[in-house]
Amino acid sequence: MQRRKFLAASLATSAMALAREAAAQSSDKSGSVKQGREFYQIRQYKLFNGAQTKLTASYIGDALIPALGRLGMGPVGAFSLEYGPETPAYYVLIPGPSVEKLVEADLHLAEDAEFQKAAEPFWSAPASSPSFQRVESSLMVAFEGWPKLTLPAASATKGKRIFQMRTYESPSYRDHVNKVAMFHAGEFGIFKAAGFESVFYGDVLIGSRTPCLTYMLCMESLEVLNAKWAAFRDNPDWKKLSSDPKYAFEPTVSNITNLVLSPLAASQI
Protein backbone atom coordinates (compact mmCIF):
# COMPACT_ATOMS: atom_id res chain seq x y z
CA MET A 1 0.00 0.00 0.00
CA GLN A 2 2.81 2.44 0.88
CA ARG A 3 4.53 1.65 -2.43
CA ARG A 4 1.35 2.45 -4.33
CA LYS A 5 0.86 5.74 -2.47
CA PHE A 6 4.44 6.78 -3.19
CA LEU A 7 4.09 5.80 -6.85
CA ALA A 8 0.79 7.68 -7.16
CA ALA A 9 2.29 10.82 -5.62
CA SER A 10 5.33 10.69 -7.91
CA LEU A 11 3.20 10.15 -10.99
CA ALA A 12 0.87 12.98 -9.99
CA THR A 13 3.74 15.47 -9.82
CA SER A 14 5.13 14.42 -13.21
CA ALA A 15 1.69 14.30 -14.83
CA MET A 16 0.69 17.81 -13.79
CA ALA A 17 4.00 19.26 -15.01
CA LEU A 18 3.57 17.60 -18.39
CA ALA A 19 -0.05 18.71 -18.59
CA ARG A 20 0.86 22.35 -18.01
CA GLU A 21 3.62 22.24 -20.64
CA ALA A 22 1.50 20.50 -23.28
CA ALA A 23 -1.53 22.71 -22.67
CA ALA A 24 0.62 25.80 -23.17
CA GLN A 25 1.96 24.46 -26.47
CA SER A 26 -1.52 23.58 -27.80
CA SER A 27 -3.16 26.87 -26.86
CA ASP A 28 -4.11 29.65 -29.23
CA LYS A 29 -2.85 33.22 -28.79
CA SER A 30 -5.57 34.01 -26.27
CA GLY A 31 -4.28 31.22 -24.03
CA SER A 32 -7.29 28.91 -24.37
CA VAL A 33 -7.01 25.32 -25.65
CA LYS A 34 -8.94 24.88 -28.87
CA GLN A 35 -11.98 22.63 -28.50
CA GLY A 36 -13.08 19.59 -30.47
CA ARG A 37 -9.65 18.11 -31.16
CA GLU A 38 -8.41 14.91 -29.60
CA PHE A 39 -5.00 14.43 -28.05
CA TYR A 40 -2.86 11.33 -28.56
CA GLN A 41 -0.17 9.61 -26.57
CA ILE A 42 2.02 7.13 -28.41
CA ARG A 43 4.09 4.74 -26.31
CA GLN A 44 6.97 2.80 -27.83
CA TYR A 45 8.00 -0.30 -25.90
CA LYS A 46 11.54 -1.24 -26.91
CA LEU A 47 12.07 -4.96 -26.43
CA PHE A 48 14.51 -7.83 -26.70
CA ASN A 49 13.57 -10.88 -28.76
CA GLY A 50 12.22 -13.71 -26.66
CA ALA A 51 10.21 -13.68 -23.46
CA GLN A 52 9.84 -9.88 -23.38
CA THR A 53 7.59 -9.80 -26.45
CA LYS A 54 5.09 -12.26 -24.97
CA LEU A 55 5.12 -10.63 -21.53
CA THR A 56 4.60 -7.12 -22.92
CA ALA A 57 1.88 -8.24 -25.35
CA SER A 58 0.03 -9.85 -22.42
CA TYR A 59 0.42 -6.68 -20.36
CA ILE A 60 -0.96 -4.50 -23.15
CA GLY A 61 -3.88 -6.79 -23.92
CA ASP A 62 -4.82 -8.08 -20.47
CA ALA A 63 -3.97 -5.11 -18.23
CA LEU A 64 -3.38 -1.80 -20.02
CA ILE A 65 -6.15 -1.67 -22.63
CA PRO A 66 -8.93 -2.86 -20.27
CA ALA A 67 -7.79 -0.35 -17.61
CA LEU A 68 -7.72 2.52 -20.11
CA GLY A 69 -11.24 1.50 -21.11
CA ARG A 70 -12.35 1.84 -17.49
CA LEU A 71 -10.96 5.39 -17.63
CA GLY A 72 -13.17 6.07 -20.66
CA MET A 73 -10.26 6.12 -23.12
CA GLY A 74 -10.28 4.42 -26.49
CA PRO A 75 -10.26 2.97 -29.03
CA VAL A 76 -6.67 2.06 -28.17
CA GLY A 77 -4.32 0.85 -30.89
CA ALA A 78 -1.65 -1.76 -30.15
CA PHE A 79 0.85 -2.64 -32.84
CA SER A 80 3.95 -4.70 -33.49
CA LEU A 81 6.72 -3.07 -35.51
CA GLU A 82 7.23 -5.09 -38.69
CA TYR A 83 9.55 -2.77 -40.64
CA GLY A 84 11.50 0.15 -39.22
CA PRO A 85 14.35 0.88 -36.82
CA GLU A 86 14.67 -0.73 -33.40
CA THR A 87 12.81 -3.98 -33.80
CA PRO A 88 11.35 -5.68 -31.89
CA ALA A 89 9.05 -3.01 -30.53
CA TYR A 90 5.39 -2.51 -29.71
CA TYR A 91 3.52 0.77 -30.15
CA VAL A 92 0.41 1.79 -28.23
CA LEU A 93 -1.76 4.65 -29.50
CA ILE A 94 -4.00 6.17 -26.81
CA PRO A 95 -6.56 8.84 -27.74
CA GLY A 96 -7.89 11.19 -25.08
CA PRO A 97 -10.18 14.22 -24.87
CA SER A 98 -7.60 16.33 -23.01
CA VAL A 99 -3.92 16.59 -22.18
CA GLU A 100 -4.68 16.06 -18.50
CA LYS A 101 -6.56 12.83 -19.18
CA LEU A 102 -3.61 11.37 -21.04
CA VAL A 103 -0.73 12.45 -18.83
CA GLU A 104 -2.56 11.50 -15.64
CA ALA A 105 -3.46 8.02 -16.93
CA ASP A 106 -0.59 6.30 -15.11
CA LEU A 107 -1.62 8.02 -11.89
CA HIS A 108 -5.06 6.43 -12.12
CA LEU A 109 -3.64 3.06 -13.20
CA ALA A 110 -1.54 3.02 -10.03
CA GLU A 111 -4.79 3.23 -8.04
CA ASP A 112 -6.64 0.56 -10.06
CA ALA A 113 -6.49 -2.73 -8.12
CA GLU A 114 -7.71 -4.77 -11.10
CA PHE A 115 -5.00 -3.29 -13.29
CA GLN A 116 -2.35 -3.82 -10.62
CA LYS A 117 -3.22 -7.51 -10.38
CA ALA A 118 -3.20 -8.08 -14.15
CA ALA A 119 -0.04 -6.00 -14.65
CA GLU A 120 1.98 -7.55 -11.82
CA PRO A 121 4.20 -9.85 -13.96
CA PHE A 122 5.10 -6.93 -16.22
CA TRP A 123 5.45 -4.23 -13.56
CA SER A 124 7.45 -6.37 -11.12
CA ALA A 125 9.78 -8.20 -13.51
CA PRO A 126 13.23 -8.52 -11.87
CA ALA A 127 16.27 -6.61 -13.11
CA SER A 128 17.81 -9.91 -14.19
CA SER A 129 14.85 -10.51 -16.52
CA PRO A 130 13.24 -7.12 -17.30
CA SER A 131 9.96 -6.86 -19.19
CA PHE A 132 11.29 -4.20 -21.59
CA GLN A 133 14.38 -2.17 -22.48
CA ARG A 134 12.84 1.32 -22.43
CA VAL A 135 9.48 3.00 -22.94
CA GLU A 136 9.39 6.27 -24.89
CA SER A 137 6.29 8.45 -25.19
CA SER A 138 5.18 11.37 -27.30
CA LEU A 139 2.15 13.63 -26.93
CA MET A 140 0.21 15.06 -29.87
CA VAL A 141 -2.81 17.17 -30.68
CA ALA A 142 -5.00 16.20 -33.63
CA PHE A 143 -4.95 18.36 -36.72
CA GLU A 144 -7.83 20.83 -36.90
CA GLY A 145 -8.85 19.32 -40.23
CA TRP A 146 -8.81 15.77 -38.85
CA PRO A 147 -9.87 16.30 -35.23
CA LYS A 148 -10.84 12.73 -34.33
CA LEU A 149 -9.28 9.32 -34.81
CA THR A 150 -11.02 7.36 -37.58
CA LEU A 151 -11.35 3.58 -37.33
CA PRO A 152 -10.54 1.63 -40.50
CA ALA A 153 -13.40 -0.55 -41.74
CA ALA A 154 -11.49 -3.77 -40.97
CA SER A 155 -10.94 -2.84 -37.30
CA ALA A 156 -14.53 -3.68 -36.33
CA THR A 157 -14.24 -7.22 -37.68
CA LYS A 158 -10.54 -7.71 -36.82
CA GLY A 159 -10.01 -8.12 -40.55
CA LYS A 160 -6.71 -8.22 -42.36
CA ARG A 161 -5.00 -4.84 -42.22
CA ILE A 162 -1.59 -3.23 -41.96
CA PHE A 163 -0.64 0.26 -40.82
CA GLN A 164 1.95 2.78 -41.86
CA MET A 165 2.97 5.42 -39.35
CA ARG A 166 5.03 8.30 -40.71
CA THR A 167 6.76 11.14 -38.89
CA TYR A 168 7.84 14.27 -40.76
CA GLU A 169 10.53 16.40 -39.13
CA SER A 170 10.94 19.98 -40.34
CA PRO A 171 14.05 22.17 -40.33
CA SER A 172 12.20 25.11 -38.75
CA TYR A 173 8.90 25.91 -37.05
CA ARG A 174 7.88 27.97 -40.09
CA ASP A 175 8.38 24.96 -42.36
CA HIS A 176 6.53 22.72 -39.92
CA VAL A 177 3.51 25.04 -39.93
CA ASN A 178 3.60 25.13 -43.73
CA LYS A 179 3.70 21.34 -43.95
CA VAL A 180 0.69 21.03 -41.62
CA ALA A 181 -1.12 23.62 -43.76
CA MET A 182 -0.35 21.53 -46.83
CA PHE A 183 -2.29 18.61 -45.39
CA HIS A 184 -5.27 20.88 -44.84
CA ALA A 185 -4.98 22.26 -48.37
CA GLY A 186 -5.71 18.91 -49.99
CA GLU A 187 -3.55 15.99 -48.82
CA PHE A 188 -6.35 14.38 -46.80
CA GLY A 189 -8.43 13.96 -49.96
CA ILE A 190 -5.47 12.78 -52.04
CA PHE A 191 -4.76 10.00 -49.54
CA LYS A 192 -8.41 8.93 -49.77
CA ALA A 193 -8.33 8.99 -53.57
CA ALA A 194 -5.23 6.77 -53.52
CA GLY A 195 -7.12 4.15 -51.50
CA PHE A 196 -5.61 4.79 -48.07
CA GLU A 197 -7.70 4.92 -44.91
CA SER A 198 -6.42 7.72 -42.68
CA VAL A 199 -6.44 6.89 -38.96
CA PHE A 200 -5.07 10.08 -37.37
CA TYR A 201 -2.96 13.15 -38.01
CA GLY A 202 -1.13 14.62 -35.03
CA ASP A 203 1.00 17.68 -34.34
CA VAL A 204 3.68 16.61 -31.85
CA LEU A 205 3.62 18.73 -28.69
CA ILE A 206 6.12 16.76 -26.63
CA GLY A 207 8.62 14.35 -28.20
CA SER A 208 12.24 13.84 -29.07
CA ARG A 209 12.32 15.31 -32.60
CA THR A 210 10.16 18.43 -32.67
CA PRO A 211 9.08 20.26 -34.71
CA CYS A 212 7.38 17.31 -36.34
CA LEU A 213 4.06 15.72 -37.18
CA THR A 214 2.95 12.10 -37.21
CA TYR A 215 0.14 10.42 -39.08
CA MET A 216 -1.13 6.87 -39.61
CA LEU A 217 -2.56 5.20 -42.69
CA CYS A 218 -4.26 1.83 -43.04
CA MET A 219 -4.37 -0.51 -46.00
CA GLU A 220 -5.37 -4.11 -46.72
CA SER A 221 -1.88 -5.55 -46.88
CA LEU A 222 1.77 -4.74 -47.37
CA GLU A 223 1.49 -5.93 -50.97
CA VAL A 224 -0.72 -2.97 -51.97
CA LEU A 225 1.32 -0.34 -50.15
CA ASN A 226 3.56 0.65 -53.06
CA ALA A 227 0.65 0.72 -55.51
CA LYS A 228 -1.29 3.11 -53.29
CA TRP A 229 1.72 5.41 -52.92
CA ALA A 230 2.18 5.38 -56.69
CA ALA A 231 -1.46 6.45 -57.07
CA PHE A 232 -0.85 9.23 -54.55
CA ARG A 233 2.24 10.55 -56.35
CA ASP A 234 0.57 10.34 -59.77
CA ASN A 235 -2.56 12.19 -58.67
CA PRO A 236 -2.72 15.51 -60.56
CA ASP A 237 -4.03 17.21 -57.43
CA TRP A 238 -0.85 16.17 -55.60
CA LYS A 239 1.37 17.39 -58.43
CA LYS A 240 -0.39 20.74 -58.36
CA LEU A 241 -0.29 21.04 -54.57
CA SER A 242 3.35 19.98 -54.21
CA SER A 243 4.48 22.48 -56.84
CA ASP A 244 2.55 25.40 -55.34
CA PRO A 245 5.15 28.11 -54.49
CA LYS A 246 3.41 28.55 -51.14
CA TYR A 247 4.70 25.12 -50.10
CA ALA A 248 7.54 24.44 -52.56
CA PHE A 249 9.78 27.43 -51.84
CA GLU A 250 12.15 25.11 -49.92
CA PRO A 251 12.14 21.55 -48.53
CA THR A 252 9.73 21.72 -45.57
CA VAL A 253 10.54 18.16 -44.43
CA SER A 254 14.12 17.37 -43.43
CA ASN A 255 13.64 13.75 -42.33
CA ILE A 256 10.95 11.07 -42.59
CA THR A 257 10.60 8.08 -40.28
CA ASN A 258 8.49 5.38 -41.85
CA LEU A 259 7.16 2.46 -39.77
CA VAL A 260 5.07 -0.49 -40.92
CA LEU A 261 2.97 -1.92 -38.10
CA SER A 262 0.69 -4.91 -37.70
CA PRO A 263 -2.09 -4.90 -35.06
CA LEU A 264 -1.73 -7.03 -31.95
CA ALA A 265 -4.65 -9.32 -31.14
CA ALA A 266 -5.86 -6.89 -28.45
CA SER A 267 -5.77 -3.79 -30.67
CA GLN A 268 -9.03 -1.86 -30.92
CA ILE A 269 -7.85 -0.12 -34.12
Side-chain angles (χ1 to χ4, degrees):
M1 181 62 69
Q2 290 300 318
R3 181 176 71 90
R4 287 187 184 177
K5 288 182 177 178
F6 174 76
L7 177 60
S10 298
L11 287 169
T13 301
S14 299
M16 291 309 297
L18 282 170
R20 287 192 294 269
E21 181 178 349
Q25 292 189 49
S26 62
S27 297
D28 61 22
K29 292 181 180 179
S30 66
S32 62
V33 177
K34 296 178 180 178
Q35 300 299 310
R37 297 160 68 183
E38 287 184 322
F39 293 84
Y40 306 116
Q41 185 186 103
I42 293 183
R43 300 183 182 185
Q44 178 197 22
Y45 293 83
K46 298 181 179 181
L47 307 169
F48 291 116
N49 281 308
Q52 279 191 348
T53 58
K54 182 178 180 180
L55 179 60
T56 302
S58 296
Y59 163 73
I60 292 170
D62 299 335
L64 181 60
I65 291 179
L68 291 172
R70 290 192 292 274
L71 292 174
M73 301 169 72
V76 176
F79 312 96
S80 175
L81 178 61
E82 300 297 332
Y83 298 97
E86 299 183 301
T87 58
Y90 291 150
Y91 285 79
V92 176
L93 168 62
I94 308 170
S98 68
V99 173
E100 290 81 4
K101 190 84 170 179
L102 284 172
V103 300
E104 292 179 0
D106 284 328
L107 167 63
H108 296 295
L109 294 180
E111 299 171 339
D112 183 333
E114 188 174 346
F115 167 80
Q116 289 286 328
K117 181 178 179 181
E120 184 64 23
F122 176 87
W123 272 40
S124 300
S128 58
S129 183
S131 51
F132 58 89
Q133 292 187 62
R134 287 289 90 190
V135 181
E136 293 186 1
S137 297
S138 60
L139 185 65
M140 308 176 193
V141 61
F143 281 13
E144 286 188 84
W146 202 278
K148 303 288 184 182
L149 184 149
T150 303
L151 283 176
S155 295
T157 60
K158 298 287 185 177
K160 185 178 180 182
R161 62 207 187 280
I162 201 84
F163 297 86
Q164 189 174 39
M165 188 163 71
R166 293 164 64 84
T167 296
Y168 292 176
E169 300 168 45
S170 292
S172 69
Y173 284 97
R174 176 198 61 184
D175 288 340
H176 170 70
V177 169
N178 272 344
K179 184 57 193 173
V180 172
M182 197 173 177
F183 278 90
H184 290 81
E187 281 197 61
F188 299 140
I190 299 170
F191 277 120
K192 183 178 180 179
F196 289 111
E197 292 184 88
S198 295
V199 179
F200 79 90
Y201 295 86
D203 198 344
V204 178
L205 301 174
I206 297 176
S208 61
R209 293 175 291 163
T210 56
C212 63
L213 63 88
T214 296
Y215 66 97
M216 178 179 281
L217 306 170
C218 181
M219 65 285 312
E220 306 93 310
S221 66
L222 190 59
E223 290 72 25
V224 303
L225 181 63
N226 290 335
K228 291 185 186 297
W229 273 110
F232 180 94
R233 290 189 295 269
D234 291 339
N235 189 310
D237 290 336
W238 168 247
K239 291 181 178 180
K240 180 180 178 181
L241 181 64
S242 59
S243 61
D244 187 331
K246 183 177 179 181
Y247 308 111
F249 64 94
E250 71 173 8
T252 56
V253 176
S254 54
N255 187 57
I256 297 176
T257 301
N258 186 34
L259 307 179
V260 175
L261 307 166
S262 60
L264 297 178
S267 181
Q268 298 173 336
I269 296 176

